[in-house]
Amino acid sequence: MRGRTFLYVLPCVGEDYAKLGIGTDPMDRLQAFSPRYYELFDLQQGWLVEAETEQEARGWETQWKRQLRVHAAPAPLTVPARAGGHTEWLRGALAELGSLRDALELQGYTVHSSLHSWVRERISQQRELLASAEQAATSGFGTPSQWPAAIAHPGLLRMRDGLDAYVALQLPIQQLLSAELRAWHARNSLLLTFADDRW
């Protein structure tokens, strides 16, 4: 890791169970834990703190892990082993983690208190890439009306999960996609409903 590093806390949905870690790009970490990270993690309750260096962030992480050792828990079974970070899951520590975060904020560190807002901004900046992703998929599978179900190919699974992320985070992308792709996604989405007419 080089340059600015984040310490992150990723609480699981509906549980006092969270991942503590560091990284230069928390978005990469979220996606490594699950392509449907927006369903695994409670993004409203998650947060980030910006450190000046990797060493500083690693120091926080090491100190907090020692301090919260009694809360150590195994990684969820749904998290792939290749994602790593198996020693950094905590159960029953969200209140204490929040106090540690608040102490850093009082010291003047930049705290992103809503991971939801941070993630929403990050993927919003990538919306223009959707058209090129559709073109790339079209070169391999034909027009979206000809595409098989998402489960038929890893690339289509990534497409479905990525589009579901925009809907779950209520980001309007309707004008960036063809009507055929919107129809394919509606047939393949795992979300119960689409948010509203922005989709």
Side-chain angles (χ1 to χ4, degrees):
M1 287 185 274
R2 296 286 185 270
R4 185 177 65 168
T5 304
F6 294 87
L7 179 139
Y8 55 79
V9 171
L10 312 176
C12 292
V13 170
E15 296 188 62
D16 191 351
Y17 187 56
K19 173 70 173 72
L20 168 67
I22 63 171
T24 55
D25 189 349
M27 196 72 213
D28 283 347
R29 298 303 293 142
L30 282 165
Q31 293 171 325
F33 296 129
S34 172
R36 300 185 69 81
Y37 59 89
Y38 43 88
E39 294 177 334
L40 175 62
F41 296 114
D42 185 339
L43 299 181
Q44 295 286 2
Q45 299 300 314
W47 47 270
L48 308 167
V49 180
E50 292 186 29
E52 293 296 323
T53 65
E54 176 194 354
Q55 182 179 6
E56 185 174 50
R58 195 169 298 285
W60 295 339
E61 180 190 37
T62 300
Q63 176 187 343
W64 292 13
K65 282 171 61 177
R66 288 178 183 153
Q67 188 171 335
L68 300 170
R69 185 173 298 154
V70 68
H71 296 283
L77 295 176
T78 57
V79 171
R82 67 182 178 277
H86 301 294
T87 63
E88 299 153 357
W89 293 85
L90 304 168
R91 185 178 297 283
L94 289 179
E96 291 171 76
L97 286 165
S99 296
L100 293 167
R101 172 203 61 210
D102 294 345
L104 288 178
E105 190 167 22
L106 286 173
Q107 293 173 47
Y109 288 97
T110 300
V111 172
H112 302 271
S113 57
S114 170
L115 190 57
H116 182 274
S117 299
W118 187 88
V119 169
R120 197 172 188 274
E121 183 177 338
R122 277 293 304 277
I123 71 168
S124 181
Q125 294 168 357
Q126 300 172 351
R127 286 185 297 176
E128 290 70 22
L129 299 177
L130 291 173
S132 59
E134 180 176 353
Q135 290 173 357
T138 297
S139 69
F141 297 102
T143 62
S145 63
Q146 301 172 316
W147 292 1
I151 60 171
H153 192 276
L156 295 178
L157 279 176
R158 287 191 296 274
M159 175 74 77
R160 180 204 63 199
D161 293 341
L163 293 175
D164 274 358
Y166 285 96
V167 177
L169 293 163
Q170 299 181 338
L171 286 166
I173 55 172
Q174 182 176 11
Q175 295 179 347
L176 301 174
L177 306 178
S178 69
E180 288 183 337
L181 179 52
R182 294 197 308 272
W184 177 87
H185 179 233
R187 292 191 303 272
N188 287 274
S189 174
L190 298 183
L191 300 176
L192 294 178
T193 59
F194 292 128
D196 56 33
D197 60 3
R198 289 177 300 174
W199 177 244

